[in-house]
Amino acid sequence: MAFGRLCGEWKSAARVALIAGFALLGGCTTYVQTQVSAFSDWSGSDATRTYAFARSAEQQNSIEQKTYEALVANELATHSFRQVPDTSATYRVELSYSIRGDFVTVRQPVYYDPWPMYGGWYGRPYGGWGGYGAWGGWDMGPAGYVDQSYPVFVHALQIRLTDRATGREVYKVSASNSGGEASLVRAMPYLIRSALTDFPLGNGTVRTVKIPLDKTGSASNETAVAAGSASKPSSPPTAVPVPLQ
């Protein structure tokens, strides 16, 4: 799956997006990077990992909701959870999600070519005309700068588990990423997988999870890994360092 349209332009925009704590979902990357935070009072065992989905009034008859629930159910099954009727469930699982559009502005250099008849090689550092770039390696630098704006879409997901009998919240995890993809449904598999990787996380965990893409741009079968930690969790999850690509 190809996220984004203009890889070359997004490489510049990516620098700004990353500063904001998000990673681009772009065709020019080899992974999807998601920010995850968790709050936990988890004490369940494999024997008690039964659940039912709880829906808000507006989610009751939503096809979109059912689609996301199926994805979450598949991921929960990898952590020994079983979906059962509400009356026999130990936990209720609630989902909330959103997508928000924004713009990121990037200042980019503009180069002036005094001799356009020679193919516009001026201003290209080393590797242009004759292997030396601009006039034997002499580069006058940019003539000026222009601001260019690019659309950025922030995708967010929250998964909340409560004890069905008491209503007590036992686990809440939030995941968000951003990029040029305007469809939440295409971003959702990465949000869900990132949110539930290494379940259960320690209380107060904040970290970044990276999910590799395969050659077609789809989600890879490789294991999702923690790429870093913004704060120290009370019970640190196992993190495998992955070099930036």
Side-chain angles (χ1 to χ4, degrees):
M1 116 179 148
F3 286 87
R5 296 178 180 85
L6 301 176
C7 183
E9 293 180 351
W10 273 114
K11 285 180 179 178
S12 296
R15 298 188 185 98
V16 179
L18 285 170
I19 291 174
F22 298 104
L24 289 172
L25 295 177
C28 49
T29 65
T30 57
Y31 58 86
V32 173
Q33 186 166 290
T34 301
Q35 287 291 111
V36 176
S37 61
F39 294 93
S40 177
D41 189 21
W42 182 260
S43 59
S45 66
D46 288 351
T48 62
R49 291 189 182 190
T50 58
Y51 73 96
F53 286 107
R55 299 177 180 175
S56 64
E58 56 268 27
Q59 292 173 339
Q60 285 299 326
N61 299 308
S62 169
I63 299 175
E64 181 182 19
Q65 174 74 15
K66 291 180 181 178
T67 301
Y68 298 155
E69 285 179 0
L71 295 174
V72 171
N74 288 339
E75 194 64 29
L76 285 174
T78 67
H79 299 288
S80 302
F81 279 91
R82 293 184 297 111
Q83 189 175 358
V84 298
D86 183 77
T87 54
S88 56
T90 303
Y91 304 105
R92 286 196 173 115
V93 177
E94 302 171 39
L95 308 180
S96 56
Y97 39 85
S98 65
I99 181 169
R100 176 174 57 85
D102 206 341
F103 284 90
V104 59
T105 300
V106 180
R107 176 154 290 191
Q108 296 182 328
V110 176
Y111 291 93
Y112 169 67
D113 185 359
W115 299 293
M117 71 288 292
Y118 292 107
W121 46 263
Y122 181 80
R124 297 178 186 173
Y126 302 100
W129 184 49
Y132 291 98
W135 203 7
W138 180 45
D139 194 336
M140 295 293 292
Y145 294 86
V146 295
D147 291 337
Q148 294 190 14
S149 296
Y150 304 93
V152 175
F153 298 91
V154 180
H155 321 97
L157 167 71
Q158 184 180 94
I159 301 175
R160 182 171 179 260
L161 278 72
T162 58
D163 184 283
R164 186 185 63 85
T166 65
R168 180 176 62 91
E169 183 177 84
V170 295
Y171 196 74
K172 181 168 69 176
V173 59
S174 301
S176 64
N177 55 38
S178 68
E181 178 54 61
S183 171
L184 181 59
V185 69
R186 295 180 67 181
M188 189 60 73
Y190 300 93
L191 292 171
I192 293 170
R193 188 172 169 192
S194 298
L196 294 175
T197 293
D198 296 333
F199 176 90
L201 297 175
N203 187 45
T205 296
V206 178
R207 68 177 188 169
T208 301
V209 175
K210 295 170 66 173
I211 298 178
L213 302 175
D214 64 19
K215 293 180 180 179
T216 67
S218 301
S220 168
N221 289 326
E222 295 179 50
T223 303
V225 297
S229 178
S231 69
K232 217 173 196 181
S234 58
S235 178
T238 301
V240 181
V242 175
L244 292 177
Q245 303 186 23

